[in-house]
């Protein structure tokens, strides 16, 4: 596939295409499209969050963490980003660091009894 495919069309066209590839579990292709979108509109949270999800699902956890932290810089109370960051940190063996993010995600979802042993939203 040529690089122009990933850059073809309007931002809305590329967003739709990236979502289609994500839903088809073609995470690498979705990421290539989303990387361009994030570069083009870095202030928007949705493309960056979906990019983080593609990285997470393709086990590129360092990249997922970077994007999730960027989302949380822009929107500190984004509950799904908190949950994903906690899960990403857990997958990297950083459970102690993950706990705070998972507690916040649980609180955002109304689960005020989070005890650290249960997974928020699981």
């Amino acid at each position: 596939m040529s690089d122009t495919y990933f850059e073809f069309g309007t931002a809305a066209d590329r967003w739709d295409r990236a979502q289609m590839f994500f839903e088809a579990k073609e995470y690498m292709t979705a990421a290539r499209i989303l990387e361009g979108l994030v570069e083009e509109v870095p202030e928007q949270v949705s493309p960056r969050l979906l990019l983080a999800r593609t990285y997470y699902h393709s086990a590129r956890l360092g990249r997922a963490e970077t994007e999730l932290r960027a989302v949380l810089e822009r929107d500190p109370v984004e509950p799904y980003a908190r949950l994903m960051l906690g899960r990403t940190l857990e997958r990297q063996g950083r459970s102690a660091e993950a706990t705070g993010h998972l507690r916040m995600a649980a609180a955002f979802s109304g689960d005020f009894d989070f005890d650290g042993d249960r997974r928020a939203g699981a």
Side-chain angles (χ1 to χ4, degrees):
M1 213 175 292
S2 74
D3 285 340
T4 57
Y5 176 79
F6 301 105
E7 301 164 0
F8 179 76
T10 66
D13 292 335
R14 287 177 281 142
W15 171 248
D16 290 341
R17 194 165 43 250
Q19 288 180 305
M20 178 190 69
F21 280 110
F22 181 84
E23 290 168 10
K25 298 182 180 181
E26 294 287 337
Y27 302 121
M28 300 298 272
T29 304
R32 286 189 66 187
I33 296 167
L34 289 164
E35 287 164 353
L37 274 175
V38 166
E39 187 175 305
E40 185 178 322
V41 287
E43 70 283 354
Q44 290 190 5
V45 170
S46 294
R48 193 174 293 273
L49 186 56
L50 187 58
L51 179 57
R53 292 176 66 197
T54 65
Y55 288 151
Y56 179 86
H57 287 293
S58 59
R60 296 186 286 174
L61 301 177
R63 288 183 179 197
E65 179 183 351
T66 299
E67 294 302 328
L68 291 165
R69 290 189 187 279
V71 166
L72 292 170
E73 282 179 21
R74 288 161 176 76
D75 186 358
V77 295
E78 176 22 81
Y80 191 68
R82 287 279 171 203
L83 175 63
M84 277 195 61
L85 181 55
R87 297 272 171 87
T88 299
L89 294 169
E90 281 183 328
R91 281 183 69 185
Q92 294 179 71
R94 297 160 58 192
S95 296
E97 191 177 346
T99 300
H101 295 287
L102 294 173
R103 283 180 202 262
M104 281 190 266
F108 292 146
S109 71
D111 182 7
F112 298 105
D113 294 325
F114 179 79
D115 62 13
D117 292 330
R118 294 181 309 149
R119 301 291 186 260

